[in-house]
Structure formats: C-alpha cells, structure tokens
Amino acid sequence: MFASARPITLLLLHLLGSVTSLSIRTAAPPIPSQVSRPSPVQSFPSSVSVSPSIPPSISSGEATTTAGCPLTTSPSTVVVRFADTFTVNCSVPVMGFPLLGWEVKERELMPIPESTTDRFLVWSVDRMTEWSIEPSCYALSEQGGQCQIHLPVIVYKPPDFVSISVAYHSGPMLEGRGYTLQCEAQGVAPVGRLAVTFYKGPSALSQLRSINPEKKPVTKVFTLDIIPSKEDNGAEYWCEAKLELGPDGPQHPPVVTSQKLNATILFGPNLVCPTKLQVREGESLSCEVRGNPRPSVTWFRDGQEVALPAHSTREHAGKYTAWTIGHLGEKNFTVEVEVLGGRGTTNILNGYFLLGVVLIQMITWL
C-alpha cells in the first residue's frame, strides 16, 4: 500500500491536465513475484492511443463489490483443486479509477500481475500449491484513496480413502445391542465443507458435517450409533463422503464412497407363531422357531417327543413345548393348540365332491 495518497493525487491531476482526449493503455508486463505500483514521478506517453484489448474468456460470476466500491471479479469465488490452475478477472466498470491491481498477503509464494491503467486485470495461476490465500483487488480513485474487494478462494482435495467399520468390534453383532459405526475420510480438505452420509442398503441413515476450520488436508472420523435387529441380518452398511463446494464449485461435487460392510446379526431362538394357536381339522400344525445360527428344535407333548401333525384332528389339541438350543443358549416355548371343526383340507375336498354331485344332478334334470 502507498505511504501517502498525496503524490498519487498530484500525478493524476498532471495526467488529466495533459491528456484529456486520448485513450491511453500500456501493456501489462510479465507476471512478477509481487505487486509493483507506479512511483509518483512515473509519466505516460501523451502521443500514443492504444485500443483496449479483449480480456481472456472467463466464466462469469456474481459481483462481489462492497458499498461504494464498483469493483467486480469473475468468478466471484475461486474454487480450485489443489495443484490445478485457475484464472480470475478483476474489472472496474466506471470511469474515475485510473489504476487497477491485485494484492496477495502471500505474494512471495503466489506471483501476481503488476497494476495496470486498464479497466480490467486478469490474474492466472498455473498451479495452485497453497492451501490458504487471501487475495484482494484494489483500484485507486482520481478523488484520492482507494477501494478494494476480497476474493474468496477455496482450495479443495477429495479424500484419499474412505472406509467404514464398527468401532471396537469385529465379527457378528448381537440383536438389540448397541454398536457404533465409524466412517473415516483420509486426507480431505477443507474438512469443514465435508458431508458424510451413512447408508443401510439404499436407504440413508444420517448425514453428518464437520465444523473444523482447518484448510489443509486432515483425516476425520464420523460416528453413528445403531441397534441392529434380526431384520438387519445380511444388510450392507456403507458411507459416502462429499465435498460441498457451493455454486462456484464443480458441477459434480467430489464424492468418495467406502466399501460395503455386510452385517451378520445373531438372534433367537424366536417363536414364529402365537402361544395360543387355532387350526381347523385337516390343516397342518405349523409353528416355526427361527434364529441365527439356525437353532435345533425338539417338540414335546405330555412329556413325550412328538412331530407336529401335518393333518390335524381333534385328538391333536393340547399343549406343545418346543425345546430349542441356539447360539445364545437354550430356550423353551409353549404353544396351546385348539383344533376347530370346519373346512380343513379334508372338508374342502369333501365340499368339492358334494358340489360336483349337485352339478351333475342339475345337468341331468335339464
């Protein structure tokens, strides 16, 4: 920045007095390592008129001017992947600002073009190797002083690797017990713009974000508590890490997914029928015991081992006990069976036979 605005004001008054009808332009010199502003005694040729050239093609962005400062940048925010290139243009759309330049605090590491008397100034970086920079575009006013705008720069890097696991546990999980899924994103920047989503199959379980302001790559672990049930046996858990970089970022935000974690849930033995079971005569007495691993089941009636009947009769009514052995131990279930008279399998066949006889008699009468 200038130590005093007075020498610049005198220089500008001198220029306006000697050059009132000419359009003056000087070509920007090669990019130096830092901003070099003109000294108070610098003068410009008054006999040369150079038509302004068209700036390089740059994607348009929203204006980022502050109050009373007409400067704009295009794009309004730079979103660049680490080690990639970027180009940004600063322009002043109104007269009265004869000097335009860029300023970067880290200018010894980030070369910028020298200031210019043009209405625009393009800044190009061939390889972005800094994680945090704070550039500003400034313009000197003919009335004295200067205005400037800050250019937000987001330098990003997708995770090197994303993995999912169960914290402090390996192997099968038990039904009804609490566990913690953890999703680890390695080497991601900026982590404050990372959104991690946990999935069970195609369904999203939860989305988490970090509030860490660190701009350099870090490794971040996100966690989610779950209580699996027997319905989750064989389910696939996985997670997705996505950098949300805003409207100025890539059209398709960088996304990295983890491997699939196939869940094995140990449960049971569980009885899959009511403890008071009603069946009709001729129907099977179907009462299942399930579990993982599959339990062994032995049925008893009146203290005697029995097989469940495939065609029930009134004599099959009574109390049945299932003695089961599973991974979680032994368990007994008692089922009280009531056999009802009615349209069981045998009665249905008899009904079809009687209906057939009636139809034959009706055809004979006709």
Side-chain angles (χ1 to χ4, degrees):
M1 300 297 175
F2 289 102
S4 172
R6 181 176 179 82
I8 295 299
T9 304
L10 295 176
L11 170 63
L12 297 177
L13 292 175
H14 171 72
L15 292 176
L16 293 174
S18 59
V19 185
T20 58
S21 61
L22 296 179
S23 174
I24 302 176
R25 179 183 182 277
T26 58
I31 297 176
S33 60
Q34 61 183 21
V35 174
S36 175
R37 302 188 182 180
S39 62
V41 297
Q42 181 179 359
S43 61
F44 300 93
S46 59
S47 59
V48 180
S49 176
V50 183
S51 300
S53 61
I54 300 176
S57 175
I58 303 174
S59 58
S60 61
E62 297 180 359
T64 58
T65 57
T66 56
C69 186
L71 293 172
T72 60
T73 63
S74 177
S76 58
T77 299
V78 169
V79 180
V80 57
R81 185 166 180 156
F82 187 79
D84 280 0
T85 183
F86 75 84
T87 300
V88 62
N89 178 40
C90 180
S91 60
V92 57
V94 298
M95 302 297 292
F97 294 88
L99 191 66
L100 191 64
W102 283 100
E103 184 178 59
V104 182
K105 290 183 179 180
E106 304 79 3
R107 55 191 176 190
E108 68 278 1
L109 302 176
M110 189 64 56
I112 57 176
E114 290 189 352
S115 54
T116 180
T117 56
D118 285 337
R119 300 277 292 279
F120 64 88
L121 183 57
V122 176
W123 178 31
S124 296
V125 175
D126 294 333
R127 191 170 186 270
M128 185 62 183
T129 57
E130 298 298 319
W131 293 104
S132 177
I133 62 171
E134 298 180 7
S136 298
C137 179
Y138 67 86
L140 299 182
S141 171
E142 292 178 350
Q143 306 301 320
Q146 71 175 32
C147 70
Q148 66 177 8
I149 55 171
H150 172 68
L151 174 69
V153 177
I154 300 172
V155 184
Y156 72 91
K157 175 183 170 295
D160 295 323
F161 185 73
V162 174
S163 62
I164 190 170
S165 60
V166 182
Y168 312 110
H169 180 81
S170 61
M173 295 181 281
L174 298 179
E175 178 188 28
R177 182 174 296 184
Y179 296 90
T180 299
L181 295 177
Q182 57 183 20
C183 181
E184 181 176 334
Q186 300 179 5
V188 59
V191 68
R193 289 184 172 267
L194 185 67
V196 165
T197 305
F198 287 87
Y199 290 88
K200 183 176 68 175
S203 303
L205 298 177
S206 178
Q207 186 176 82
L208 305 175
R209 289 177 170 82
S210 172
I211 58 173
N212 189 338
E214 178 61 54
K215 295 184 178 181
K216 294 183 179 180
V218 298
T219 294
K220 175 68 177 177
V221 177
F222 299 81
T223 60
L224 177 68
D225 293 332
I226 61 170
I227 301 178
S229 66
K230 58 180 177 293
E231 287 77 16
D232 298 325
N233 186 45
E236 290 184 332
Y237 291 96
W238 56 287
C239 62
E240 173 188 86
K242 178 170 65 174
L243 279 172
E244 298 181 339
L245 300 170
D248 294 295
Q251 184 176 2
H252 301 288
V255 176
V256 181
T257 59
S258 72
Q259 82 283 12
K260 300 293 193 300
L261 178 65
N262 192 282
T264 299
I265 312 300
L266 302 181
F267 65 93
N270 294 334
L271 181 67
V272 190
C273 71
T275 55
K276 290 188 176 182
L277 179 63
Q278 291 182 336
V279 296
R280 294 188 179 277
E281 287 184 302
E283 294 179 345
S284 64
L285 202 166
S286 178
C287 206
E288 186 180 1
V289 177
R290 296 178 183 174
N292 183 36
R294 186 180 180 86
S296 65
V297 182
T298 305
W299 287 96
F300 292 89
R301 183 187 180 196
D302 298 330
Q304 301 294 321
E305 183 177 342
V306 296
L308 297 182
H311 302 284
S312 302
T313 65
R314 295 293 180 92
E315 289 74 20
H316 291 126
K319 289 186 178 181
Y320 291 78
T321 299
W323 179 53
T324 66
I325 302 177
H327 181 77
L328 303 181
E330 298 182 6
K331 198 170 185 180
N332 294 334
F333 302 95
T334 299
V335 179
E336 186 175 347
V337 178
E338 180 182 2
V339 181
L340 306 176
R343 298 177 64 85
T345 305
T346 303
N347 291 334
I348 291 175
L349 294 176
N350 291 337
Y352 286 152
F353 175 76
L354 293 176
L355 179 60
V357 171
V358 173
L359 290 176
I360 293 173
Q361 289 179 350
M362 291 179 63
I363 294 173
T364 302
W365 293 338
L366 294 175

